[in-house]
Amino acid sequence: MIVVLPFVALGLAGWLLWGSLIHPGDIVIALVLYTITGLGVTVGFHRGLTHGGYRAVRPVRIALAVAGR
């Protein structure tokens, strides 16, 4: 219940609000921002800052750290 119910509620809310408050552009923006944040957390924070799993130039490290915030 704890795992499934939030996804069901999100789907129901999206279906009910489609066309009035939610438009295709909103979905595109949400997916782009989700991807940027996910890369910032996984690549920037976890691999780069925590483990030092790679060496990137300073602007890239800063951009990934900011993206993860």
Side-chain angles (χ1 to χ4, degrees):
M1 204 67 173
I2 293 172
V3 174
V4 175
L5 189 60
F7 292 107
V8 171
L10 182 63
L12 180 62
W15 182 63
L16 291 174
L17 296 174
W18 187 260
S20 60
L21 290 177
I22 299 176
H23 302 286
D26 299 325
I27 303 298
V28 170
I29 291 171
L31 291 175
V32 167
L33 292 177
Y34 181 82
T35 302
I36 290 171
T37 302
L39 286 173
V41 169
T42 58
V43 176
F45 286 166
H46 184 73
R47 301 251 323 150
L49 299 177
T50 303
H51 298 296
Y54 67 92
R55 290 286 174 207
V57 293
R58 187 172 174 94
V60 173
R61 290 182 69 190
I62 292 172
L64 287 171
V66 169
R69 269 193 83 160

